[in-house]
Every structure is written in C-alpha cells, then in structure tokens.
Amino acid sequence: MTKTAWIFPGQGSQKLGMAEDLADLPQAQSYFEKAEKILGWSVLDLCQQDETQLNQTLYTQPCLYVIESILADLLTQQGQTPQMVAGHSLGEYVALYAARVFDFATGLELVQRRATLMDATAGGKMVALIGFKREELQQELDKNSDVVLANDNSDAQVVISGTPSAVDELLTHIKAKRALPLNVSGAFHSPLMASAAAEFQTALDGVSFSEATVPVLSNVNPTPSTSSEELKSRLVQQMTGSVRWREIMAQMAREGVEQVIEIGPGQVLTGLFKRGYSQISRVNVSRFADLKSVVE
C-alpha cells in the first residue's frame, strides 16, 4: 500500500463555484443543512454567488471547512484512508476532523468562532515574500519583535506578519523577488492575535477532543501525534504561532510518505511539494469529479 498523507489548504485557496458539483450530491446535503443551522447562512449560496463576501475571513473559513470535510468523507466512503494528515492554518481543523478528533458540527462551531475573532482583529499587516535570503530575513526579524514569520511555507516562500510600521520597515532592509501584501484584516499567526487567542481558548475549553485515528502534524509542532490533549494544546498555540509548513513537508518525507492528496480548492500545497519534494507523488481533489483520480 502506498503511504499517503491527506493535506488540507487554508484561507486563500477559496474560489467562487468551489461547491458547484457538490450542490446536488445526496451525500453532501446533510452537511450543507447542518452548516446552515450552525452558521445562519448558506455555504452553497455564498460559494456560488458572492465572491466579495466569500473572500472575507468571517465567511471564507467556514466555507473551506465545510467543502473540504465533505470531500474528505467522500474519499473515506470510497474506502480511502490516509496514514497521516496535516492542514495549513484553517486546514488543520479539517485535518483534525478527518482524524476524527471531533465531529463535523463541533469542528464547524470552532471554525466559526475562530473566524469571527480573526475577522474582528484589525491593525495588522501580512506580506508574502518570494525569492529572498533566509539568513538576511531572520536577522531582520530578530531585530524587531513587532514582526514575525507567520507562514514558513518553503525555502523560497514565506509570509511575514506584524504591525504595519514594523512590516514596512523590515521590507526596506531585505531583497525579495516579490513582496505581495495579503488582503487580510489583521496580523494572523503573530503575537498580535493574543487577545483573540485568549478568547478562543474559552471555546476550546468547552470541547472534548478524541484520540486521533491517524497521526496529525500540527502547524506549530510538525511531529506526528494522536494525543487528544497534545493536539488541543497545539491548536491553542496556532493563532499566535507560525505555520511551519516547510517542516511539515520535511517530516512527511522522513516518515516515508509516498503520496500526498490535497483535499480542497486549488493546488497550493501540492505545488509546494512539487518544488521541494518532487519524489512524492501528488493528487488534487478539488471537487467531486476529482475523486476518480485517487487510486491506491
């Protein structure tokens, strides 16, 4: 059997129409109905009609969670099972659901609370950097605690996060092939999210986690774990901690993963694997029609 990891993308991968071929699927109807009761609005309608609203954190995160969870369960119904899972930022919640750490509704309620808190946090800035010198970047980060490495995606791609003045100051001291400001309301995955993280802790405290059915590699600690307590602790740290995706990929390679299946819209994560670990085969399941491409 091919050793396979399921990976789940986060905010930024969403696109209008991403639920299109799930809309009339009988297996998906109960998910959309449960989601509408919890959220108070229709994921299907939003994904098909309003791109501006879909791109707002408050709506993006629940929509991605619902779509990716449906696709993961459809794979499971086909008899597919991963040997480990991981998700990028918001995607970690889907990874935990796929590992049966919590049920669909519980995960969506956590994601809704997370999205609400993050959407309400203002005053920060995030910029993606492509093509830079890592040592030079680290030296500048060490000089200013108001800007941090938020997403360490690969050797050549990262995201910095912090106060607008600190981010802008850092950018004047490093050379990058591209520096792309992200359209977000706050400095996600940085200490500036501490107050939101503290409020989110209350929501997590009221939820019981189960032992994971397969190992989960967390954003803040890219080592496999099935411990319910450990996985909950890591999730608490995620809002203020860095997404260590570069290390997650390296760990999967060390664990002997032969194939990754990116479950959700886009090909961001498989693209990172292609550039850094081309020996690991890659499959994308962005919609129902892609399920037939998944083979043992």
Side-chain angles (χ1 to χ4, degrees):
M1 178 183 291
T2 302
K3 188 166 187 178
T4 300
W6 289 2
I7 54 178
F8 301 90
Q11 194 166 346
S13 61
Q14 72 276 1
K15 62 179 180 179
L16 200 64
M18 64 181 180
E20 187 173 9
D21 72 345
L22 297 174
D24 298 320
L25 197 67
Q27 302 99 304
Q29 291 305 314
S30 63
Y31 295 83
F32 290 124
E33 290 169 4
K34 287 179 185 177
E36 188 164 358
K37 288 180 181 178
I38 292 169
L39 300 170
W41 47 270
S42 169
V43 168
L44 272 177
D45 289 347
L46 193 67
C47 287
Q48 295 180 66
Q49 299 173 7
D50 196 332
E51 186 171 19
T52 299
Q53 195 171 9
L54 177 61
N55 289 332
Q56 295 176 14
T57 298
L58 187 63
Y59 301 99
T60 306
Q61 295 186 11
C63 285
L64 286 173
Y65 174 85
V66 171
I67 300 305
E68 293 176 18
S69 295
I70 291 172
L71 291 171
D73 279 353
L74 288 172
L75 273 175
T76 300
Q77 290 167 20
Q78 287 193 344
Q80 302 294 323
T81 55
Q83 279 66 63
M84 64 179 55
V85 295
H88 192 285
S89 192
L90 177 278
E92 185 169 325
Y93 288 78
V94 194
L96 292 168
Y97 168 66
R100 300 304 182 245
V101 172
F102 42 63
D103 61 27
F104 173 78
T106 298
L108 182 55
E109 288 166 356
L110 288 174
V111 166
Q112 182 186 33
R113 183 59 178 153
R114 178 184 190 264
T116 300
L117 290 168
M118 292 176 73
D119 187 66
T121 303
K125 184 173 184 177
M126 300 181 75
V127 175
L129 301 178
I130 301 171
F132 57 92
K133 293 182 179 179
R134 185 168 287 268
E135 289 184 6
E136 182 180 71
L137 174 61
Q138 190 59 55
Q139 288 173 1
E140 293 303 321
L141 289 171
D142 291 341
K143 294 177 183 178
N144 194 335
S145 60
D146 289 334
V147 58
V148 299
L149 186 63
N151 297 353
D152 188 4
N153 291 330
S154 70
D155 288 336
Q157 181 186 338
V158 300
V159 175
I160 57 174
S161 179
T163 64
S165 59
V167 170
D168 291 342
E169 175 67 17
L170 183 145
L171 292 175
T172 65
H173 295 293
I174 64 168
K175 295 179 180 179
K177 185 176 181 180
R178 298 179 70 187
L180 306 172
L182 303 186
N183 184 20
V184 294
S185 59
F188 302 160
H189 298 292
S190 83
L192 294 178
M193 298 298 295
S195 60
E199 291 189 56
F200 188 62
Q201 173 77 64
T202 302
L204 277 173
D205 287 343
V207 176
S208 295
F209 279 29
S210 300
E211 298 291 294
T213 56
V214 295
V216 181
L217 279 68
S218 304
N219 287 188
V220 299
N221 188 336
T223 56
S225 177
T226 58
S227 165
S228 58
E229 290 186 9
E230 175 68 19
L231 294 171
K232 179 183 278 193
S233 174
R234 293 177 178 184
L235 205 58
V236 172
Q237 301 169 47
Q238 197 218 63
M239 288 184 76
T240 56
S242 176
V243 176
R244 296 162 61 182
W245 193 257
R246 178 173 62 95
E247 295 174 71
I248 286 176
M249 293 192 296
Q251 183 66 36
M252 286 187 177
R254 285 193 293 270
E255 295 284 335
V257 169
E258 301 167 90
Q259 175 182 246
V260 292
I261 301 177
E262 182 172 2
I263 301 172
Q267 301 181 4
V268 172
L269 301 182
T270 47
L272 293 173
F273 269 94
K274 181 179 180 180
R275 289 186 287 275
Y277 297 89
S278 58
Q279 77 277 15
I280 297 176
S281 65
R282 303 160 302 279
V283 178
N284 287 88
V285 177
S286 299
R287 54 202 179 102
F288 177 66
D290 294 331
L291 293 174
K292 62 178 181 289
S293 68
V294 180
V295 295
E296 286 289 346

